[in-house]
């Protein structure tokens, strides 16, 4: 099986997928952090393509940054300055050529993640 990376963002406060949320993927090598791509979630809270497709997959350390501040502003959450959650970085390792699914459960004042399937 070839490896690849996907995500799913759910707005747990509103009970729906987080549509229109920007996500950026970085590869981490030592102190170097290289941006690989930026995507936006669709109406189902997923990206239209794999975040890291099979053809580009390598094991290693990665970071997903979920830019949730703009999404929360658009969803009607009362604005704060600064917003409690604006950017959520998730750093994780992929040690084998497999499907890695890294979902985000989001609310205005907290989040959770896990290795999904």
């Amino acid at each position: 099986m070839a490896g690849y990376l996907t995500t799913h963002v759910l707005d747990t406060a509103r009970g729906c997928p987080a549509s229109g949320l920007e996500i950026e993927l970085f590869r981490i090598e030592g102190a170097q952090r290289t941006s690989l791509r930026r995507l936006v979630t669709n109406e189902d809270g997923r990206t239209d393509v794999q975040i890291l497709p099979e053809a580009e997959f390598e094991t290693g350390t990665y970071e997903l940054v979920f830019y949730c501040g703009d999404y929360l502003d658009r969803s009607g959450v009362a604005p704060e300055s600064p917003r409690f959650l604006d950017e959520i970085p998730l750093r994780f390792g992929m040690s084998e050529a497999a499907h890695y699914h890294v979902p985000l459960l989001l609310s205005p004042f907290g989040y959770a993640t896990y290795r999904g399937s």
Side-chain angles (χ1 to χ4, degrees), residues 22-68:
E22 189 174 356
I23 302 167
E24 188 167 9
L25 175 66
F26 295 88
R27 180 163 173 85
I28 310 298
E29 295 176 285
Q32 186 173 348
R33 185 176 179 246
T34 304
S35 177
L36 300 179
R37 69 182 32 88
R38 288 177 90 112
L39 300 163
V40 177
T41 58
N42 60 25
E43 291 180 2
D44 192 38
R46 302 173 189 273
T47 57
D48 289 332
V49 297
Q50 296 167 349
I51 297 172
L52 187 62
E54 294 177 11
E56 299 172 32
F57 184 88
E58 293 181 50
T59 58
T61 303
Y62 291 85
E63 184 175 273
L64 282 171
V65 177
F66 296 86
Y67 297 100
C68 59

Side-chain angles (χ1 to χ4, degrees), residues 1-5 50 54 57 59 96-101 115 117:
M1 172 183 216
Y4 61 99
L5 173 64
Q50 296 167 349
E54 294 177 11
F57 184 88
T59 58
E96 60 183 324
H99 175 198
Y100 284 81
H101 184 66
R115 181 176 175 183
S117 57

Side-chain angles (χ1 to χ4, degrees), residues 64-117:
L64 282 171
V65 177
F66 296 86
Y67 297 100
C68 59
D70 289 340
Y71 166 79
L72 292 170
D73 289 344
R74 286 190 316 275
S75 69
V77 173
E80 302 175 288
S81 185
R83 181 166 287 291
F84 181 71
L85 291 176
D86 184 34
E87 297 178 8
I88 299 173
L90 299 179
R91 190 167 288 192
F92 56 95
M94 297 191 289
S95 60
E96 60 183 324
H99 175 198
Y100 284 81
H101 184 66
V102 182
L104 182 72
L105 306 176
L106 174 66
S107 77
F109 300 103
Y111 65 91
T113 190
Y114 55 94
R115 181 176 175 183
S117 57

